[in-house]
Amino acid sequence: GAGVSQSPSNKVTEKGKDVELRCDPISGHTALYWYRQSLGQGLEFLIYFQGNSAPDKSGLPSDRFSAERTGGSVSTLTIQRTQQEDSAVYLCASSATHEQYFGPGTRLTVT
Amino acid sequence: GEDVEQSLFLSVREGDSSVINCTYTDSSSTYLYWYKQEPGAGLQLLTYIFSNMDMKQDQRLTVLLNKKDKHLSLRIADTQTGDSAIYFCAETVYGGSQGNLIFGKGTKLSVKP
């Protein structure tokens, strides 16, 4: 079946611009996660959605980062006023139980 | 806080066994995972072990868990060049079965023909 999909696969933006990254989880998965992967910091948790519960935002690095999950399915991660240190691969994962399945990621480059 | 440590590099010859080691700090972790990442790709879930087990075998993969020492290992038998990748160890947090994962920095496995 279809896995987790993310778009765009690559995004180049100028410092100070806003960006939106999209994640389509596996159908029926109630949990959705965003992580960031960078050379210096490795894999970092950003935010976690579980069903209709309030999201766990404890990993968001600043208030420039936000995420929504509409209708319990698709999620959008928004980064406002991008900075060069936001350059990374943004990974989305979804799960029905405890096993998290990852998408291919969006590579964000801030110039 | 929680932390997961792995050695950064491992080099083996094709056909040999590879053993990738990991230590973790959260004794309440319910599950521990191994993920594989090939260049330019996302993370592929390889296998996992429940915290009340000490060994799990899945084809060429064997996971060993020493809960007392908080040590996890992944053994790949008959390593092939296609196994060359970065391997990440991860633990769940908060002692639950869902919730975010904490990852190690990854071990880059190089398989020489």
Side-chain angles (χ1 to χ4, degrees):
Chain A
V4 177
S5 61
Q6 293 185 245
S7 60
S9 54
N10 280 285
K11 175 75 177 178
V12 181
T13 190
E14 289 179 357
K15 179 180 168 181
K17 301 277 192 192
D18 297 353
V19 294
E20 285 189 351
L21 311 179
R22 178 186 167 108
C23 172
D24 278 276
I26 294 170
S27 177
H29 280 193
T30 56
L32 186 148
Y33 307 80
W34 284 98
Y35 294 86
R36 176 168 73 173
Q37 185 174 27
S38 58
L39 277 175
Q41 300 300 320
L43 275 155
E44 302 172 277
F45 163 71
L46 296 176
I47 188 168
Y48 159 45
F49 296 90
Q50 172 60 271
N52 295 322
S53 302
D56 175 355
K57 303 180 184 180
S58 60
L60 294 178
S62 78
D63 59 8
R64 295 186 296 105
F65 287 73
S66 62
E68 287 186 338
R69 188 177 185 194
T70 52
S73 181
V74 170
S75 177
T76 303
L77 177 70
T78 301
I79 309 173
Q80 295 179 309
R81 304 181 303 281
T82 51
Q83 303 294 310
Q84 286 188 325
E85 62 262 28
D86 299 333
S87 295
V89 176
Y90 289 81
L91 293 164
C92 175
S94 70
S95 70
T97 57
H98 66 90
E99 299 166 55
Q100 295 185 25
Y101 295 92
F102 282 77
T106 294
R107 181 175 295 278
L108 175 65
T109 304
V110 182
T111 61
Chain B
E2 305 89 3
D3 199 14
V4 178
E5 300 280 343
Q6 301 178 239
S7 52
L8 295 181
F9 301 99
L10 177 65
S11 180
V12 300
R13 292 258 175 223
E14 192 173 19
D16 288 350
S17 290
S18 307
V19 179
I20 302 171
N21 295 299
C22 167
T23 56
Y24 61 96
T25 56
D26 188 351
S27 58
S28 64
S29 290
T30 308
Y31 292 96
L32 294 135
Y33 302 85
W34 286 103
Y35 281 85
K36 175 184 180 183
Q37 187 175 39
E38 295 180 85
L43 295 169
Q44 175 194 352
L45 177 61
L46 278 181
T47 188
Y48 64 88
I49 189 165
F50 189 51
S51 58
N52 69 353
M53 299 169 65
D54 52 21
M55 186 180 91
K56 180 179 180 182
Q57 187 149 4
D58 185 357
Q59 300 183 331
R60 292 191 297 123
L61 305 178
T62 303
V63 179
L64 295 178
L65 175 61
N66 180 327
K67 207 170 176 185
K68 173 175 166 289
D69 294 338
K70 295 181 191 159
H71 183 267
L72 182 73
S73 67
L74 174 70
R75 178 176 179 269
I76 307 172
D78 186 26
T79 314
Q80 302 297 306
T81 53
D83 295 324
S84 292
I86 300 177
Y87 291 80
F88 292 92
C89 169
E91 61 173 346
T92 49
V93 294
Y94 307 132
S97 60
Q98 288 196 314
N100 62 286
L101 298 176
I102 300 290
F103 288 88
K105 293 272 194 275
T107 299
K108 184 174 183 178
L109 174 64
S110 298
V111 183
K112 299 186 188 321

